[in-house]
Amino acid sequence: MSLIWLLIFFSAHVSQCVPEKPKRSALNQLTRTLLRKYDCGVRPVHDWTSVTTVSIDLILLSVLDVDGKTQSITTSIWYRQVWTDEFLVWDPEEFDGLNEISLSSDAIWIPDVIVTEFVDGGKSPPIPYIYVNSSGSVKNYRPMQVVLACSLEMYAFPFDKQNCSLTFRSWLHSVKEIDLALLRSAEDIANDKREFMNDGEWELQSIPSHYWHIHQDATDYAQIQFNVLIRRRPLLYVVGLLIPSIFLMLVDVTSFYLPLNSRTRIVFKVSILLGYTVFRVNITEELPSTAVRTPLIGVFFAVCMALLMLSLIKSMLVVKLLHHNDKDVKQMSLSACLLDRYGSGGQEVTASALTSIRTLDSVDPSDEYELETSLEEDLVSLNEDQKVPSGLDWLLQELASLRLALHQEDTENSAQDDWLELCLKLDRVLFWVYLLVLVLGRLLERGGANTAQSAALLVEDLVEDVVAMLLVAMLLVEDLNLKKPSSSSGRFSNATLVRLSDFLSAGYKKGVRPVKDWRTSTTVAIDLMVYSILNVDEKNQVLTTYVWYRQSWTDEFLVWNPEDFDEVKQVSIPTANVWVPDILINEFVDVGKSPDIPYVYVTHDGLVRNYKPIQVVTACTLNIYNFPFDVQKCSLTFQSWLHTIDDINITLMRSPEELREDKSVFMNQGEWELLHILSKYKSFSVDNDDYYAEMKFHVVIRRRPLFYTVNLLLPSIFLMVMDIVGFYLPPDSGERVSFKITLLLGYSVFLIIVSDTLPATAIGTPLIGVYFVVCMALLVISLTETVLIVRLVHKQDLQTPVPDWVKYVVLERAPVLFCIRRKHRLCSRLSSQGSDLDHYKDSSYGTTQCTLHHTCEIGQRLSQHEQESGLLRLGLPPRRDPTPPVMNNILQEVMAIRHFLEKRDRCREVAKEWLQVGYVLDVLLFRVYLVAVVTYSITLGTLWSVWQVA
């Protein structure tokens, strides 16, 4: 007996030491009790007319990305939703005081509340559990990263404000089944910034919210919209974009202080233009790439580049004016030509000439001497016939000729000074005009930014007013919709939806096509609405779209009599529990991230409606030859992958006309514009035995070219215009070659940088790529032409005379045929025609190369015999008596100076002829080049215009 009691005591002790099994715990018993016969596909209400109210809440954690090109925003949020499940109610006293329990989210009914603006799924951590309260209150809290479509206004960038909405609604259930409410008050949600990461680019201002009904397909749906109001912090862009641009503009303004004749201003300004072009192309990735409206800062950069062009053109104009008096061929005065032609004859010394000499000797250097008048008097006196030749007479003639030549040079220097003074005044005037335009541009930019900010503030005030007016209405709706959960002990006994679900699922086989007669074909009606164009990958020939897809068919096994089920005419059923047609997209190449819609609608007559948004990644033949004015036509072909037309047929839910023009849900603010959606039905056979039905939708979209026009075409056009203006520089100025080689370098860097922006394709090159290559080829041709002209102009250094055929073709025929204005020829200051001094030239002078070196030693090399023979040939009496050596030295020096000036005039004549040839050829080649550029531009412009209209 004692042994039995010992065993009983030992077993009791062991039972106290061994832990209780999980199935005996209160938590496990409560879970088994709640999920016993629980159908997660049935809306958890006892009375099917009762509305399930889902209270939602939103806390913004951070703004991850704002993409102006695709008009999308990526956010990280904390999302909370609470609703009442009438089938998950228990008495805590029956389960050891357990008041709250966590259940698997896959085991219970979850409302199909999604974000309407959803276009792509972010990386969110999975939360597999939810909390359930003893009163049936279900709490589903989870963090989410969502990519939303948003109409972004980038005009005021980087001082812009954005208003992006997150609209929550049930995708399938109407407001009579699922209603929405706010979990907190609208004021608390709007001002809650506790969890927002406030150190990034964007600053959260508020999150106003409002509730309303949307009418769609003859049904009202409840939705709550949260407006995320954010403002960009502009410091990064001000420091990285605006300040460098302003610095370059200030440097350009400072360049006006460079001397006009220093020949460095052109190089300085073209280097600034090159630097600004590279800077502008480099910052293209920093600017928001919107295709609808160019940001004001983009207009600012374009205007700054245009101002730099105007500044460079102004400097080139001033250099041209300065060069006009320096190297250009000008006509001499009549008096100089007459004196040079007739003033060297063998006339005798007259009294007037002697008087002129005495006058020159008696002139007071301190008095102002009228040089022009005295030269004319000397010309008249020297032309009078005299009978007594004298060496003093010839000396006077030589001195007068030399004085006229020197006076002519002085007159040209004076004219050059006048031109310089004129150019200085013009440069000063253009500088102030340029500065005024620059200041006005800055004021207009600031005014535009202020206007955009004022508009954003006005919209913000209106939104706040609307929120304030709807606040009372939302609170009333919330009070009306929040009902006290039922504590019925029967749980499922009086639930009409549960009875109907049991009735429909009894004996249902979802793998069997739902027809009673197997010969009956199941007709699936489909519909398509394009919501957004997410990506067009030209290299891989892939199109990513976000569409709203709808399909409906008749399930003969899902039919009931509404009178038997409390007049229930439609019910939502999990998609996994019913037969779904295997209709796929033929062009499908990748799985897109689409929101999960777990339910389908079924009416009492067996009509099944499966509506869902999907992200489709499809193959498409993309033709980018007309980029950026291209139109793409991509097809989405829906067909049953396995069933023939005898089993599954396809038709349209709407008429083709309605489908073609429907753009009601399309986000029209991105790079692509939806033109229309074409549809076509056909049946085909693979092996001429079984026929299949297919419905093909052709999505026709057109690219908006504004972004590429501003960032690719305009800089290229600016550089080409500057290359054409570069022909205005004189070919012998020495600045055109450096100017054009700098432009070619800048264009090369521009092409290297923009190569990433052009679409990549392995089939052909876009026309814009051909345009860039041809532009670069034109720049090379322009540079080559400039090098040839400069070489031709500087051929004077070799002192090769211009061939006769070149004179005839270039200087005589070409100006007449092509209406080229010839430059005036310059008559020699010391022409040897009509002068007896031609007989007094040493043979060595005629063969000596033209040089501008000092020739004072020439007279000393003349022998005595040559001097005497020269005097005899000049008509001067030979020296019978020794003349004063001073007189001989004076005559020798005067003749040496005259020879030097005559040789310089001959050198100049050769140079002027080559210069004239260079000018004519330069004008001729420039016209040919200009015609080629204009013809090419008109052709491209016409093609792009036709393609854009088409």
Side-chain angles (χ1 to χ4, degrees), residues 535-543 618-624 627 632 672 703 755-764 766:
N535 186 31
V536 177
D537 189 351
E538 295 86 356
K539 183 177 182 179
N540 298 318
Q541 299 284 290
V542 171
L543 172 69
T618 56
C620 178
T621 302
L622 300 173
N623 185 6
I624 60 171
F627 174 88
Q632 305 297 340
W672 294 92
R703 194 192 306 265
S755 60
D756 296 335
T757 307
L758 296 179
T761 177
I763 299 178

Side-chain angles (χ1 to χ4, degrees), residues 444-472:
L444 289 177
E445 178 198 4
R446 182 170 297 179
N450 294 334
T451 302
Q453 291 180 0
S454 301
L457 292 175
L458 179 59
V459 173
E460 180 182 355
D461 294 338
L462 292 176
V463 171
E464 292 179 356
D465 294 338
V466 173
V467 171
M469 289 187 294
L470 295 179
L471 178 60
V472 178

